[in-house]
Amino acid sequence: MASPAELLATPAATALDLARLRDDFPILSTKVHGRQLVYLDNAATSQKPRQVLERMRVYYEQENSNVHRGVHELSERATAAFEGARSRVRAFVNAKEVREIVFTRGTTESINLVAQSWGHANVRAGDEIVISTIEHHSNIVPWQMLCAATGATLRVIPVNDRGELELDAYRELLSAKTKLVAIGHVSNALGTINPVREMIAMAHSAGALVLVDGAQAVPHLRVDVQALDADFYVFSGHKMYGPTGIGILYGKAALLEAMPPWMGGGDMISSVTLERSTWNVIPYKFEAGTPNIADAIGLAAAIDYLESAGIENVEAWEHELLAYATAKLSAVPGLRLVGTAANKAAVISFVLDSAHPHDIGTIVDQEGVAIRTGHHCAQPAMNRFGVPATARASFALYNTKDEVDALVRAIEHVVEIFG
Ligand code: PLP
């Protein structure tokens, strides 16, 4: 790895046309508190390019209708666009079959779907579910609820002081009792990229299934669910330049087929009498009611956008931004990074000796810099590092080194105020 001085001396080198890309995001020219917006809260939600907004406008103006049920032209257009979006997602994560892609409201709903449906059908008292210390609450609480309901036990993979999962401890945790391992691909609080491929192979050797929470991975890394051999892989549209309210559950077809539905209603049935109902085929069995048609179509447009920028280019640029920000922030007196894993993506979490994270966030906001402060829905990770909260900057493809400089100036200002 280059020294901080070398990193700071390296000019921006990226295959991305940053000026053109930034122009695609109308919100980036917004002013806040009279200052140019510097948006560094992308791990919470990313901004949306015109291409996504435009695609959704076209949908509502020219194609809007309910899907699957109509014979009229508009319903056919809406169905074609909606099912086309499903195919786009399949290709994006390289699922084997399009029926392995279930539309949900987001990562949280996808995890709850698996916990409720697969979990209640397969987990019994005495079984174990393995998670890690640095999971988002949405990959902790549904498993706690499942354990409480079934009498299963939650086991937790520890992390070292850099925020990397301890794989030896993980190996020890795996046994014939382990039914499922549920792990994040990239930690939203620390930025750690977990070695999920290796961890999945280890879980499979123990006879356990694996759910990967990819909410923070898909915007930054190439994901191939077949190469990973993930049993379930879940993510949200809104963190990858798509709209809110849409997300994905990928599941291997045989698993999804064996799972019972979790919500009942229209579209998820094959037949209904007043005595009993039978279920539709996957993925529709898990999509009760009118789906979020427009946002699924918007998600497909976001995937097109990300792919046209080139996910490998995005990954390389964000890595450069991360290295640059790490070198610059590390030089601020009294600043401590939380999460210094060797393998990190797009997230930098820190605390200051002199100021509480909420004060940091409020002051830098006055200078137009949007960062997140708090526990990032990862309280166990905060407890592990002995902090109640951190300040977190997180990058997207449109961020620049000038914006990192603006963040650093704002943080230096906080240090001046608090001493
Ligand atoms: N998992 C991770 C790692 C996250 O970062 C988030 C959101 O911050 C979630 C899950 C939950 O995503 P959503 O709120 O879109 O359901």
PDB file of all heavy atoms in Angstrom, residues 43 57 60 142 145 239 312 332 344 401 408:
ATOM      1  N   ALA A  43     -23.988   5.572   1.867  1.00  0.00           N
ATOM      2  CA  ALA A  43     -24.294   4.256   2.435  1.00  0.00           C
ATOM      3  C   ALA A  43     -25.718   4.248   2.986  1.00  0.00           C
ATOM      4  O   ALA A  43     -26.353   3.193   3.067  1.00  0.00           O
ATOM      5  CB  ALA A  43     -23.293   3.892   3.522  1.00  0.00           C
ATOM      6  N   ARG A  57     -40.629   8.288 -15.067  1.00  0.00           N
ATOM      7  CA  ARG A  57     -41.608   9.234 -15.612  1.00  0.00           C
ATOM      8  C   ARG A  57     -42.276   8.617 -16.847  1.00  0.00           C
ATOM      9  O   ARG A  57     -43.498   8.635 -16.994  1.00  0.00           O
ATOM     10  CB  ARG A  57     -40.913  10.553 -15.967  1.00  0.00           C
ATOM     11  CG  ARG A  57     -41.878  11.694 -16.268  1.00  0.00           C
ATOM     12  CD  ARG A  57     -41.136  12.956 -16.660  1.00  0.00           C
ATOM     13  NE  ARG A  57     -40.372  12.772 -17.881  1.00  0.00           N
ATOM     14  CZ  ARG A  57     -40.894  12.771 -19.111  1.00  0.00           C
ATOM     15  NH1 ARG A  57     -42.186  12.965 -19.257  1.00  0.00           N
ATOM     16  NH2 ARG A  57     -40.134  12.596 -20.160  1.00  0.00           N
ATOM     17  N   TYR A  60     -44.833   6.019 -15.832  1.00  0.00           N
ATOM     18  CA  TYR A  60     -46.117   6.546 -15.365  1.00  0.00           C
ATOM     19  C   TYR A  60     -46.886   7.261 -16.478  1.00  0.00           C
ATOM     20  O   TYR A  60     -48.113   7.260 -16.484  1.00  0.00           O
ATOM     21  CB  TYR A  60     -45.907   7.492 -14.162  1.00  0.00           C
ATOM     22  CG  TYR A  60     -45.780   6.733 -12.848  1.00  0.00           C
ATOM     23  CD1 TYR A  60     -44.660   6.881 -12.043  1.00  0.00           C
ATOM     24  CD2 TYR A  60     -46.788   5.868 -12.424  1.00  0.00           C
ATOM     25  CE1 TYR A  60     -44.538   6.192 -10.848  1.00  0.00           C
ATOM     26  CE2 TYR A  60     -46.683   5.174 -11.222  1.00  0.00           C
ATOM     27  CZ  TYR A  60     -45.563   5.333 -10.438  1.00  0.00           C
ATOM     28  OH  TYR A  60     -45.452   4.648  -9.263  1.00  0.00           O
ATOM     29  N   PRO A 142     -34.303  -9.936  12.888  1.00  0.00           N
ATOM     30  CA  PRO A 142     -35.178 -11.027  12.401  1.00  0.00           C
ATOM     31  C   PRO A 142     -34.721 -12.399  12.894  1.00  0.00           C
ATOM     32  O   PRO A 142     -35.559 -13.276  13.148  1.00  0.00           O
ATOM     33  CB  PRO A 142     -35.042 -10.937  10.871  1.00  0.00           C
ATOM     34  CG  PRO A 142     -34.617  -9.531  10.601  1.00  0.00           C
ATOM     35  CD  PRO A 142     -33.745  -9.148  11.772  1.00  0.00           C
ATOM     36  N   MET A 145     -35.712 -12.757  16.525  1.00  0.00           N
ATOM     37  CA  MET A 145     -37.150 -13.071  16.599  1.00  0.00           C
ATOM     38  C   MET A 145     -37.385 -14.546  16.268  1.00  0.00           C
ATOM     39  O   MET A 145     -38.192 -15.224  16.927  1.00  0.00           O
ATOM     40  CB  MET A 145     -37.935 -12.164  15.633  1.00  0.00           C
ATOM     41  CG  MET A 145     -37.949 -10.708  16.081  1.00  0.00           C
ATOM     42  SD  MET A 145     -38.410  -9.538  14.771  1.00  0.00           S
ATOM     43  CE  MET A 145     -40.117  -9.912  14.527  1.00  0.00           C
ATOM     44  N   LYS A 239     -29.793   2.133  -2.464  1.00  0.00           N
ATOM     45  CA  LYS A 239     -28.369   2.369  -2.172  1.00  0.00           C
ATOM     46  C   LYS A 239     -27.525   2.229  -3.433  1.00  0.00           C
ATOM     47  O   LYS A 239     -26.310   2.391  -3.402  1.00  0.00           O
ATOM     48  CB  LYS A 239     -27.879   1.392  -1.106  1.00  0.00           C
ATOM     49  CG  LYS A 239     -28.560   1.613   0.249  1.00  0.00           C
ATOM     50  CD  LYS A 239     -28.059   0.618   1.261  1.00  0.00           C
ATOM     51  CE  LYS A 239     -28.924   0.575   2.500  1.00  0.00           C
ATOM     52  NZ  LYS A 239     -28.822   1.744   3.355  1.00  0.00           N
ATOM     53  N   GLU A 312     -16.430  -2.089 -12.352  1.00  0.00           N
ATOM     54  CA  GLU A 312     -15.005  -2.196 -12.000  1.00  0.00           C
ATOM     55  C   GLU A 312     -14.375  -0.802 -11.931  1.00  0.00           C
ATOM     56  O   GLU A 312     -13.528  -0.536 -11.070  1.00  0.00           O
ATOM     57  CB  GLU A 312     -14.252  -3.081 -13.011  1.00  0.00           C
ATOM     58  CG  GLU A 312     -14.581  -4.585 -12.886  1.00  0.00           C
ATOM     59  CD  GLU A 312     -15.937  -4.988 -13.471  1.00  0.00           C
ATOM     60  OE1 GLU A 312     -16.551  -4.175 -14.206  1.00  0.00           O
ATOM     61  OE2 GLU A 312     -16.399  -6.113 -13.189  1.00  0.00           O
ATOM     62  N   VAL A 332      -5.680  14.467  10.845  1.00  0.00           N
ATOM     63  CA  VAL A 332      -6.380  15.461  11.685  1.00  0.00           C
ATOM     64  C   VAL A 332      -6.115  15.130  13.155  1.00  0.00           C
ATOM     65  O   VAL A 332      -6.345  14.002  13.590  1.00  0.00           O
ATOM     66  CB  VAL A 332      -7.908  15.431  11.393  1.00  0.00           C
ATOM     67  CG1 VAL A 332      -8.661  16.338  12.355  1.00  0.00           C
ATOM     68  CG2 VAL A 332      -8.191  15.804   9.942  1.00  0.00           C
ATOM     69  N   LYS A 344     -11.471  -2.922   2.410  1.00  0.00           N
ATOM     70  CA  LYS A 344     -12.605  -2.057   2.750  1.00  0.00           C
ATOM     71  C   LYS A 344     -13.248  -1.481   1.495  1.00  0.00           C
ATOM     72  O   LYS A 344     -12.597  -1.358   0.471  1.00  0.00           O
ATOM     73  CB  LYS A 344     -12.126  -0.868   3.600  1.00  0.00           C
ATOM     74  CG  LYS A 344     -11.962  -1.149   5.070  1.00  0.00           C
ATOM     75  CD  LYS A 344     -11.586   0.126   5.830  1.00  0.00           C
ATOM     76  CE  LYS A 344     -12.693   1.149   5.886  1.00  0.00           C
ATOM     77  NZ  LYS A 344     -12.357   2.270   6.813  1.00  0.00           N
ATOM     78  N   LYS A 401     -12.241  14.087  -5.174  1.00  0.00           N
ATOM     79  CA  LYS A 401     -11.247  14.400  -4.143  1.00  0.00           C
ATOM     80  C   LYS A 401     -11.484  15.800  -3.572  1.00  0.00           C
ATOM     81  O   LYS A 401     -11.220  16.048  -2.392  1.00  0.00           O
ATOM     82  CB  LYS A 401      -9.846  14.265  -4.722  1.00  0.00           C
ATOM     83  CG  LYS A 401      -9.473  12.802  -4.970  1.00  0.00           C
ATOM     84  CD  LYS A 401      -8.017  12.637  -5.319  1.00  0.00           C
ATOM     85  CE  LYS A 401      -7.713  11.144  -5.463  1.00  0.00           C
ATOM     86  NZ  LYS A 401      -6.337  10.882  -5.872  1.00  0.00           N
ATOM     87  N   VAL A 408     -12.623  17.315   4.945  1.00  0.00           N
ATOM     88  CA  VAL A 408     -11.488  17.446   5.869  1.00  0.00           C
ATOM     89  C   VAL A 408     -11.434  18.872   6.432  1.00  0.00           C
ATOM     90  O   VAL A 408     -11.237  19.065   7.633  1.00  0.00           O
ATOM     91  CB  VAL A 408     -10.169  17.041   5.162  1.00  0.00           C
ATOM     92  CG1 VAL A 408      -8.971  17.308   6.058  1.00  0.00           C
ATOM     93  CG2 VAL A 408     -10.227  15.565   4.771  1.00  0.00           C
TER      94      VAL A 408
END
